[in-house]
Amino acid sequence: MSTAVSLPHPATGTRTTATHCPYCSLQCGVTMTAGDRPATLVPADFPVNRGGLCSKGWSAPELLDHPERLLRPLVRAVPGDRTSPLVESSWDDALDRVVAAVRSTQERYGRDAVGCFGGGGLTNEQAYQFGKFARVALRTSAIDYNGRFCMSSAAGASVKAFGLDRGMPFPLADVAEADVVVLVGSNPADTMPPAMQYFDAGRERGAEHIVIDPRRTSTAKNAGLHVQPLPGTDLALANGLLHIALAEGLVDEEYVAARTTGFADVRAGVAGYWPDRVERLTGVPVAQQRRIVFALARGERSIILSARGAEQHRSGTDTALAWINLALALGLPGRPGSGWGTVTGQGNGQGGREHGQKADQLPGYRKITDPAARAHVAAVWGVDPESIPGPGRSAFEMLDALGTDGGVRTMLVLASNIAVSAPDARRVVSRLGDLDFLAVSDFFLSETAELADVVLPSAMWAEEEGTMTNLEGRVIRRRQAMSAPDGVRDDLQLLAELAGRLGAAGFSGDAGTVFAELGRASAGGAADYAGISYERIDAEQGVFWPCPTPEHPGTPRLFTERFATPDGRAQFTRVEHVDAHERPDAQYPYVLTTGRVLAQYQSGTQTRRSRSLQLIAPTPRAELHPDLARSLGIASGDAVELATRRGRARFHAHVTDAIRPDVVFVPFHWGGGASANALTDPALDPTSRMPAFKVCAVAVTRVGVAAERIPAPEGAAQPATPAHQTPTAHTPHAPSRRRTTSVKSTPRFLSGVYPITGEGLGKPGPVDPALRYQVPEGKTAQALYFRGGNSTDELVYLLLVRDGEPMRWFPIGARGDCHVPLRVVEDLDGGTVVELHAAAPVGVTGEIVVDLGLVEV
C-alpha cells in the first residue's frame, strides 16, 4: 500500500507530509501540516501505532519554534576560555575553530586524541556517516554513542545466543496474538503508550500478562500477575524458573535437541537455583515463580520481553542470556507467535547501533576486527583497509579518560547530552572540563552544550530526510515536512562540510545518496539493508531487515528455520547470579533504581522545554514506600536529598505503595541539582560495557517541606570527583583447569591457581567457575580442610559461601599461606551449592593458590 509523501493543503499554501514521531523506538506514524509556522500533526494509521500517539508525540511540534532553539553557531568570546560567554558567530568561524582544534590535537597527541560521541536519535544516514567520518576523515578509533548506555547488554546476549541482534525478532503485532507475555523490567504504558493497544487486545482475548518489576507501574497495574524482585536479581529469577521447568518436565527436549547447543552445562548450572533459594535472593515467592513457568510452558504462543530494568547492570548481558536460556528451553524462539525479544528504547536505538557508531563495529553490524568486513567497507569508502582504525574504548571508558595521556582531548558530540545521561554524571562533567576542545551539535543549549567551546545548531526531526529503524527492525522514512530555519544545518551537511575541510572526499549531505551508500556498505552483513530503498519504504510502509536484494520481501520474523550462527543452532550459555556491585550498608541502607516517566524523554533536552509536558511532569519525584517514608519522617511533596558514594541530588518525595519498601526510584530526565545520574554507579558489564544504572546503595534524608523549587545540594557536601582511573568492571576469568565428573568418587576438591584483581576487602566475589561445587541430590557432603596461598603484597581473604550466604572466611597474609582443618562444619545436603569467593584491596593483582577438600557420602 502506498503512503502519501507530501500533498498540498487546500487554500492555505501549506502541505501535509507523512512522517514519524521524533521520540521512542515505536516511531509512530504521523501526518504533519506545515508551511506557515507553527506546524501541527495528527497520528497516522501506520502499522505500528495504528492511529495512536502519546502526549510526547502530540506536543512535538511545540519545540520547532521554541524561543530557546539554537539558530546560530555559538563560540566562546575568548577562544580557549570556557569561563567566557558563548556568543553568536558565523558558520565559517565556528567550523574553522573545530577544524583547527582537530588538526592541532592530532598533530600533538595522535589521531586517537580526537573523539566522536553520537546518539540513538540520529537517522541511519547520520549514524552511518558519523562512523565513516571518524574512521576516514579523522582516522580515529575513538567513537561510541549513548546507545551503549541503552541496548548494549541485550545486543551482546542476542549475538551470543542467536548470532544476530535485532531487538524484537518479530512484529509488535505478535504481542496481541500471544497467549502469555512476560515483561521483565519494561514499562511500555509510560515509555511507549501506543504499544499498549497490542497488550489490551491480548487481554481481551484472554491472554495472561506477567510483569516483573520492583515498581507497580502503569503496565503492572493491568497485568494478571505482578512480581517485585529486588533490583539486580533478575538473573537469579530466570535461572530459578528454568530450574522449575526442568523439575516439572516442562522443557521442550525435542526443540532443545534439534535447534540448540550447550544445554547440558546450563542444566547443571541451574540445578543450584531451587525455588526456596531463589525466593531468598529475589524476594519472589515460590508460588509466583511456579505460576510464571507454567504459564509460559502451557501457552501455545508465549513471549518473553526484557528491557533496561533487567539489563542496565554490571551483569546485564548475563541476565539477558538467562532469560534467553529460559525461552530456548521452552522452545519459544522461532516458533510462530512466540519468542524472546528486548524492547528498544531510543528512537533509532536499533539502527543507531548497526552502521558504525559503536567503537567495535562497521556498517551492517560487522565487527571492525574482521579482515573481510574491513575489506568490504573499505572498498565502498574507497580507502585502504589498513587505514581503518581498530576498535576504540566503549562510551564510559572513553568519557572517563578525557583529557588524559592516551585519551581523547578534542571531542565532537552529536545529538547526545552526556552531562545528564552518563553514569556518575558529576565525574563526566569534570572530565568534559578536562578536554582541550569540545564541539556540540544540538537543537538547544543542553547541559553538555553549555560546556562546549563551539555549539552548532542542528535541524530538527521535521526538517530533515532520512530513515530510522524501529524496535521491530522495520526501516521507516523520516520525511522533511518543513524547511529548517535560516542558518541551521542538519548533521549530514555538517559532517560532509567538516570532512571536506579536513581534506576527505566522498561525503554527501544528501540523505538519499548516503542511504544508497549505506546499503552497499551493509550488503552481506548481519544487518543487510542492500535491498531497501526509499521507494520500497514508501510503498510497503517500512521494510524489515535483513533485506539483501530488491526482490527480497524483508524479514518480519527471524529464526523460523535456523539461527544466524555458523551451525544454525541457538547457543545456551551458563550464567550465574552475582551480587550488585554496591550492596546497602549502614551508611547507604537502601537500593536506588532509575527509569523514565510518561511525560519526559531521555535526558530531557527537548521534553523539559515543552510547556504541555511540563504541566504533566514539572519536577522529578523520588518514589518511596510509605513504611520507609514514615521511618524517615517524610511526607509526600517534601524535599528529600538522596546521597550515594558519587554524589547528592534533591527531589520532591512521592510516597507510594507501588514500590518495594527497600527501594527508592528516581527518573533520569533532569540534570543539575536533580540529576539522578549524579548518583548512579559506573561499574561496567564485562561484555557490553553497560554501566550499572539500575542499582546502587543510597541514603535518604528529608531536607525541607513541600516547595515549588528545591535548592540544589551544597557544593561542599558533594563527594570529591575521583581522579582518572580505569573504570571498575567485573571481569570473569577463564578456568585454569577443567573439572570432570566422568569418574565418580568420594573425595571432591576445589583447587588450582587463579589470577585475582582486588575490588576492595569489602567486596568479595567469585573467582572462577571451577571453584563451585553442588552436592548431588541424595548425597551429603562435608568440607574437611582448606589450604591457600597468596602471591600479592597485601592481605587477601577467601570466603566459603553456601547457597549465596557466607559460611567461613580464610585470611591469607601478604605472600603467605594458611592451612585450616575444618573439623566442625555442618553437613551440606543434596542440592547445596558451595563456592569460594575472594577479596583483595582495590587494584591489587596477583595469584592465589586454592585447595578446598570435601568428602561426599
Side-chain angles (χ1 to χ4, degrees), residues 70 73-74 91 94-95 98 412 439-442 454-458 494 498:
L70 298 175
L74 303 177
W91 274 96
L95 295 181
V98 174
L412 173 60
V440 174
S441 171
D442 212 327
V454 171
V455 183
L456 303 168
S458 176
L494 167 65
L498 276 176

Side-chain angles (χ1 to χ4, degrees), residues 15 71 140 166 266 268 394 501 534 606 623 630 791:
R15 63 179 181 175
L71 301 176
T140 180
R166 197 179 84 189
V266 170
S394 70
R501 287 170 176 252
Y534 282 7
Q606 297 177 76
E623 293 184 8
R630 191 178 305 112
S791 75

Side-chain angles (χ1 to χ4, degrees), residues 239-240 242-244 246-247 251 253 256 261-274 277 325 329 572-577 739-741 769 772-777 803 830-835:
N239 276 1
L242 183 48
H243 177 105
I244 294 172
L246 283 160
V251 171
E253 299 285 359
V256 169
T261 59
F263 187 52
D265 196 28
V266 170
R267 185 193 297 267
V270 300
Y273 291 82
W274 58 92
R277 179 191 176 209
N325 286 342
F572 278 96
T573 302
R574 178 171 173 171
V575 291
E576 304 289 350
H577 167 74
R739 296 181 62 228
T740 175
T741 55
R772 182 180 185 277
Y773 162 70
Q774 180 174 347
V775 183
E777 296 292 345
D803 297 339
T832 299
V833 174
V834 174
E835 298 174 280

Side-chain angles (χ1 to χ4, degrees), residues 620-662:
R621 301 190 299 172
E623 293 184 8
L624 298 90
H625 190 276
D627 292 347
L628 175 58
R630 191 178 305 112
S631 69
L632 298 174
I634 295 170
S636 268
D638 281 355
V640 295
E641 182 170 287
L642 306 187
T644 70
R645 291 175 174 85
R646 288 153 297 281
R648 297 170 178 265
R650 291 183 176 180
F651 305 86
H652 287 98
H654 175 52
V655 179
T656 172
D657 64 359
I659 194 165
R660 288 174 54 114
D662 52 355

